[in-house]
Amino acid sequence: MEPNGQHSDIQTRNLRVLEALLFAAKEPLGADDLRPYLSENADLADLLDQLQQRYQHAGINLVQRGEKFAFRTAEDLSFLLRRDDVEQKPLSRAALETLSIIAYHQPVTRSEIEEVRGVATSKGTLDVLMEAGWVRMRGRRRTPGRPVTYGTTMGFLDHFGLEQITDLPGLGELKGAGLLSSNLPPDFSVPKPSDGDLTSDEDPLEPDDAGDDLLSDLDARNQPNET
Amino acid sequence: MEPNGQHSDIQTRNLRVLEALLFAAKEPLGADDLRPYLSENADLADLLDQLQQRYQHAGINLVQRGEKFAFRTAEDLSFLLRRDDVEQKPLSRAALETLSIIAYHQPVTRSEIEEVRGVATSKGTLDVLMEAGWVRMRGRRRTPGRPVTYGTTMGFLDHFGLEQITDLPGLGELKGAGLLSSNLPPDFSVPKPSDGDLTSDEDPLEPDDAGDDLLSDLDARNQPNET
Amino acid sequence: MYVDVKGYEGPLDLLLDLARKQKVDLAHISVLSLAEQYLGFIQTLKERRIEVAADYLVMAAWLAYLKSRLMVPHDDEDEEPSGEEMAALLQFRLKRLEAMRDAAGQLVNRPRLGRDIHARGDPESILTTKTNQWQATYYDLLRAYVIQREKSFPQDYSVKVRTVWSLSEAEEILERLIGQSAEWVPLQSYLSEYLASTEERQTALASSFTASLEMVRQGQIELRQSAPFSPLMVRRKR
């Protein structure tokens, strides 16, 4: 065999060994891990470079992590490694009630929701509504305690088939649909919801706003007496 | 783009997806695991064949294990990659014999295993093999006492590097010599081991079947007389 | 000869070991001498008062029977298996056990996963994102809103206590007001105190009129009205 052919045989073998080692390794491997398995005087950097090129367009790539190397799923295929497990659940009554108040009364604070509901609203209920993608924190009300204001989202409109939030039926329509009794107190009204820009008494949220309300616990405790 | 180019784009993508899925997984994957990620009407067998060829001379190969596929380091590199330290507690002679009897005679009942070995099988032996993931309870034989039938698993094929159960070493000679028949002396129909679907004389296991054999204790006791 | 019976995986294993010592192919083994060796071995164990498992004794009995069958010529009328058939059976079982042993040896020496061949060392696990998809209908939403708002309506529906004169109350009052007066006096003037209040006016009029009729019937008082809508006059009956 001519020297050149022999050289490329050794080269091929080195590449195969690297492939196998990197595949079987539990963690990225560095030069010290790899060199003992290669032929003497092998140019590790060059071999890794060749391997990197070989897998450049494959479903897996040879990636560098610091001084070490590992095979990883190609970034554009990373969706293959994610599974979405969707479980359909009916919304609890508390969540549904809270959602409806947010929808009509937005922008609304937690203590305002509680005022309408007559009971304290758990943070969990709001979390569920936010997880569902129907409710969002809009901003903070410019009142003492600066409570968070809640409103509905595009997802809310989508789910309930509304083109805009003002499509929610008003007083007359609710009565007309027989949902509301016609025997209403004279001062009864249904607010006109707005899910758009911040209102004049709302401040924007800080980028890292966790949405905690300073006074919410206090509010919640006082709630049952409040009505 | 001309239709042909488009076709090969889809083909390339399918191959990359298969590569990524098979590479990311430790266990062999089957059609059900792979097909959902491919383009509609993709020819899975053909794609796997292409992939197998692409990796034929690489340091890792695409191997078939029963109906499933996995990337494994190339067999000829084993002398380099051999890791004796990770070898689990070596199998006892009894376990190894039992394993090979199950592999070659499957589906096989405990009393048939005992008939071959001429000695009672302790329950622990089968447990060890099942815990290793090499042996499974397949069903129940349609004979008095309805004994459990045992067979090998995909994990068995994977561990011992067999594409399918018919690749067991020396299977042809054993068959030819009539040594795989459980009834003696060599009769006309020589069975072939089958690790697949239930055979005509097997019933499926109940979902909560604990694998107890009603007659097994009796069988074990009677064993030496039975011949 | 000293052999530890515990080293064997049962009587068949012992027989196989003895057969191998004949150093011939199992197909050409002398079953008769094999049976004799086995029986001799068991005998030795017994003489040394070594406890022998039942399995081995059962095999010994079978081999003793085999030996006797082999030594007498076969009778065609005999329904029992011939000595030759029994010997073939034993040979088959020994061959099969040996074959399984060889197979096990080949199997265990194959390139094995985790030792010679390796799977992906660092599998990229599949991340399962569990999402709840919440269900609610538009109708549910509106109902929920309306129910809550209706709950908040003022609940001051206190039942008005209406002042009503019962007939007996009216009779009592008239009795007291008319007293022993024998003069004709308008009924209304007796009731002026009560008629001033709008709440009592109707019931005072209605009940006292009805009561007065009852008192006339009882002969206690007399009533007189000179013309329609003129004042109703009342006096104690003499």
Side-chain angles (χ1 to χ4, degrees), chain A residues 16 19 57 59-60 76 83, chain B residues 16 19 23 37 57 59 76:
Chain A
R16 293 182 72 226
E19 248 173 345
H57 302 292
I60 39 173
D76 65 313
R83 300 283 148 83
Chain B
R16 291 184 72 229
E19 231 174 359
F23 210 91
Y37 300 95
H57 303 294
D76 67 308

Side-chain angles (χ1 to χ4, degrees), chain A residues 12-13 15-17 19-26 36-37 54-61 71-77 79-83, chain B residues 12-13 15-26 33 37 54-61 71-77 79-81 83:
Chain A
T12 304
R13 195 192 118 111
L15 283 173
R16 293 182 72 226
V17 168
E19 248 173 345
L21 284 171
L22 289 164
F23 170 81
K26 286 192 164 47
Y37 294 93
R54 181 183 294 179
Y55 282 92
Q56 199 172 5
H57 302 292
I60 39 173
N61 304 146
F71 278 118
R72 288 285 175 259
T73 303
E75 239 166 75
D76 65 313
L77 296 177
F79 70 92
L80 293 170
L81 302 176
R82 279 192 296 271
R83 300 283 148 83
Chain B
T12 304
R13 194 194 132 96
L15 282 171
R16 291 184 72 229
V17 165
L18 283 184
E19 231 174 359
L21 286 170
L22 289 164
F23 210 91
K26 194 168 186 170
D33 307 309
Y37 300 95
R54 182 180 296 178
Y55 281 90
Q56 202 171 5
H57 303 294
I60 46 178
N61 303 145
F71 276 115
R72 297 287 181 250
T73 57
E75 211 176 298
D76 67 308
L77 295 177
F79 71 96
L80 262 179
L81 304 174
R83 292 181 200 150

Side-chain angles (χ1 to χ4, degrees), chain C residues 3 15 31-32 41 46 51 66 71 81 98-99 112 129 132 147-148 151 175 187 207 215 217 238:
Chain C
V3 192
L15 273 170
V31 172
L32 187 62
F41 175 74
K46 278 183 170 170
E51 210 169 302
L66 165 64
M71 294 199 296
E98 189 178 51
R112 284 164 67 181
T129 329
N132 293 315
I147 285 169
Q148 291 178 93
K151 258 194 323 207
E175 184 73 44
L187 181 59
S207 296
M215 288 165 81
R217 196 183 63 82
R238 301 178 190 253

Side-chain angles (χ1 to χ4, degrees), chain C residues 170-187 190 211-212 214-224 232-238:
Chain C
E171 200 177 326
E172 226 174 274
I173 290 168
L174 284 179
E175 184 73 44
R176 182 159 46 81
L177 291 175
I178 297 170
Q180 293 306 313
S181 166
E183 298 301 310
W184 290 105
V185 177
L187 181 59
Y190 282 126
S212 64
E214 176 62 18
M215 288 165 81
V216 170
R217 196 183 63 82
Q218 289 170 3
Q220 294 183 49
I221 59 168
E222 288 176 315
L223 285 175
R224 189 182 78 183
L232 191 62
M233 308 301 278
V234 62
R235 71 169 182 186
R236 170 72 58 190
K237 194 179 179 182
R238 301 178 190 253

Side-chain angles (χ1 to χ4, degrees), chain A residues 46 60 65 68 87 106 114 127 140 152 166 214 216:
Chain A
D46 179 61
I60 39 173
R65 297 279 180 260
K68 303 195 168 196
E87 201 178 332
Q106 63 186 308
E114 291 172 342
D127 284 349
R140 286 187 177 273
T152 54
T166 46
L214 292 174
S216 61

Side-chain angles (χ1 to χ4, degrees), chain C residues 109-127:
Chain C
N109 287 318
R110 284 185 63 79
R112 284 164 67 181
L113 187 68
R115 190 187 64 179
D116 310 283
I117 291 178
H118 304 277
R120 179 82 191 272
D122 185 16
E124 288 167 78
S125 56
I126 286 159
L127 291 171

Side-chain angles (χ1 to χ4, degrees), chain A residues 144-201:
Chain A
R146 296 176 42 76
V148 169
T149 51
Y150 293 92
T152 54
T153 61
M154 281 288 296
F156 170 83
L157 297 178
D158 254 8
H159 184 90
F160 293 101
L162 298 167
E163 267 188 31
Q164 50 220 359
I165 197 66
T166 46
D167 287 351
L168 278 173
L171 180 59
E173 289 154 305
L174 287 172
K175 261 166 124 175
L179 281 162
L180 238 133
S181 76
S182 44
N183 204 358
L184 296 171
D187 60 344
F188 185 84
S189 71
V190 168
K192 208 173 152 76
S194 146
D195 62 355
D197 296 336
L198 293 179
T199 56
S200 58
D201 65 348

